[in-house]
Amino acid sequence: MKLHSQYAHWAILTIGLPSIYASPTVKRENGKYRYVGMGDSFAAGIGVGQVESTPGASDCSRYTGGYPNRIQEQINATDYQFIACSGAVGEDIIEKQIPQLHDKYDLITVSAGGNDVLFSGVLKACLYLPKPEADCIAALVAAEEKINNELTGNTNKLLNALGPYLSDQGIIVWTLYAEFFEVSPEPCNSQSWCLVEPRDGYCSHVTVGLRTEFNRLVAKASQIIKDVVQQWSGRKAYAADWNEHVMSSNGQLCEAGSGDRIDDESNRGLAFIRQNIGQHYYVPGEKREIEALEARDLLGLPDTIMQNFHPNEVGVLMQVTAVLEHVLPQKAKIDGTGNSHKGACKRRTSAAAPSSTQSPTESPSASPTPKEDKVDCLSPHKNEGGARHMYLSRNALVNQVDKFCAEIDGKSDNLQRTYDEDQYVGVIFYLETIDNAISKDECKEKLMKVVDCKYESNTANPMDWKYGGRIETEKYNLQVEASGDRTVNRYASDDHSPLQKPVAKCNWGYKVFYDDFTISGAGFLDGGWGKDMQKNIDSCAGGSLENWKFDYHNKPDGEGFEWKASGTTIIGKGHCFGNAVRSFANLPDFECD
């Protein structure tokens, strides 16, 4: 497989991950490590490599390039099954794939949910088929209804069905979906992507509005799945979110400058399969009826059509990277290179006679030397390609440390928690332990070592931005990192240096009976949806603040601002707006225009 040099790091990551995750091949006392890859077409790898030669692979469009096979290349499980099937919904996995399981598994990867919420119906009605706009709108509405009303229950049901097949230290890693589209106007705004020859004038354009709405539904579905996985009562499940990799590497469809032909140099970095723009597929006359296109098994469409909008080779490697971030720490523990196991041999501390292997000069009551904590600090250059370039302020990170440590007080199992992901910067924590309870105070003590760790880098960081990191102790491991779709866009330059100073813009004026204002900023107010600034302005304006609006941008706008606030006050309060910016951004000379 030949990849564009800009994306070769994804292949490198799956061969040798950073030392923060590295571990030797898994070994078990019984010599077994069992892994099964399950799910829908995003796990089956449709269109990547060749159709597998295993039973049922052709009917399921199960390909050699699916991410479970790439995971297996890295972990070398002694017992491995790949049973994912394109088109599967949650019930299909429960009724057709789970019966193929034959043991307790150390690792179960699964991708599911997209078919349950009718994403394929949206693609057909809005892009693939020459249908009227009303059909596209109806498909979008139907998908959101499924997301709102059924996805949480379906996800829990599948997790509960898989739970009994986990070994004592086994984990489930649920691979989420990534947002397909870049939403800049060009080049896609005037294009249509019908896969069959249009008729009756219908063939929707790939507009900014359509792309934005589809991205929103994908993000909403993934967030619901992630929330359920993280809160699952089994507490042995993780969500593998590869969306940040796609966005930070310009891997979405409709990226600026993307050529019409998929083999154009400009498309080498795409993470998804798509057809050439304007390419129409031949469909036999008796199967051209639009209604017949609703069912893949009725139409018998070839995989060359059905593979569109699925991960390509680059996308698969991004999936693998996201999954291995959860799998490799578990491997280290099972292999004995991570946390101590319950029941492990302990050195005697009593005054009993020394054993035959004990040194005559060694005190029988001597305690073993405590293992020194190992801290690994993430930095702007920890991974090439953007996977570890996210950052947030120290105060924002400390606030989330307090919240996380309070939640896990007394816990003694693996778990993962994400906070404030809907804000400009979210935070994700991991606790890895086996029967070693951790207290709130101990958690804070250890994580503060990560918060204040120093990394080696030539990149200037005058605002003391924090990237997170990992601490390994004798009893447990803790890890923290910035998270969230917006965060991946927080780059200030090509060398991934962070913002060097806060920036802001403020405009205000009076409108006969009131003052109105807009404030934009970056490098401050990472979280909280501007509530502290809202209180500040309202207090200064004598409680007259009204029409307050605050929103984080999905990406920095054209001027580099990350958020925008607006509102109105009684006349004569213009000084309050500049005061607020000076207070929160520490810009003493800032003035509101």
Side-chain angles (χ1 to χ4, degrees), residues 121 125-126 131-140 290:
C126 299
K131 287 197 169 189
E133 183 180 7
D135 286 13
C136 175
I137 294 173
L140 291 167
I290 299 302

Side-chain angles (χ1 to χ4, degrees), residues 75-90:
I75 67 175
N76 193 28
T78 52
D79 188 341
Y80 169 57
Q81 291 173 264
F82 182 24
I83 57 177
C85 191
S86 298
V89 297

Side-chain angles (χ1 to χ4, degrees), residues 20 329 332-333 336-341 369-376 408 430-439 441-450 469-479:
I20 191 170
K333 287 185 296 183
T337 61
N339 299 316
S340 302
H341 288 235
T369 303
K371 178 183 175 182
E372 185 176 347
D373 294 344
K374 178 184 177 182
V375 179
D376 198 332
I408 70 167
Y430 303 89
L431 168 64
E432 302 160 4
T433 182
I434 301 175
D435 296 329
N436 286 305
I438 180 171
S439 69
D441 292 340
E442 191 175 11
C443 169
K444 290 177 64 174
E445 175 194 348
K446 300 300 184 184
L447 279 177
M448 288 307 298
K449 293 183 179 181
V450 176
R470 178 179 176 89
I471 183 168
E472 297 181 358
T473 75
E474 283 190 299
K475 296 181 179 180
Y476 47 77
N477 301 329
L478 289 162
Q479 184 173 315

Side-chain angles (χ1 to χ4, degrees), residues 98-99 101-106 108 161-167:
I98 286 181
L101 304 184
H102 55 74
D103 212 325
K104 299 281 188 178
Y105 293 82
D106 302 292
I108 299 174
L162 291 172
Y165 292 92
L166 285 177
S167 67

Side-chain angles (χ1 to χ4, degrees), residues 354-363:
S355 68
S356 59
T357 59
Q358 188 175 0
S359 168
T361 60
E362 181 181 344
S363 170

Side-chain angles (χ1 to χ4, degrees), residues 140 183 189 206-215:
L140 291 167
V183 294
N189 221 36
V206 192
T207 62
V208 170
L210 175 58
R211 284 177 270 153
T212 301
E213 182 64 8
F214 202 1
N215 279 356

Side-chain angles (χ1 to χ4, degrees), residues 164-230:
Y165 292 92
L166 285 177
S167 67
D168 290 342
Q169 298 179 48
I171 60 173
I172 297 169
V173 180
W174 194 305
T175 308
L176 304 177
Y177 300 98
E179 296 173 35
F180 296 110
F181 293 110
E182 164 63 42
V183 294
S184 300
E186 299 302 334
C188 293
N189 221 36
S190 59
Q191 294 176 351
S192 60
W193 289 11
C194 281
L195 297 180
V196 296
E197 191 71 36
R199 66 181 187 183
D200 300 328
Y202 295 131
C203 206
S204 299
H205 286 169
V206 192
T207 62
V208 170
L210 175 58
R211 284 177 270 153
T212 301
E213 182 64 8
F214 202 1
N215 279 356
R216 184 184 69 82
L217 292 180
V218 170
K220 185 175 185 178
S222 287
Q223 187 61 54
I224 288 175
I225 294 171
K226 179 185 288 189
D227 290 344
V228 174
V229 168
Q230 292 176 353

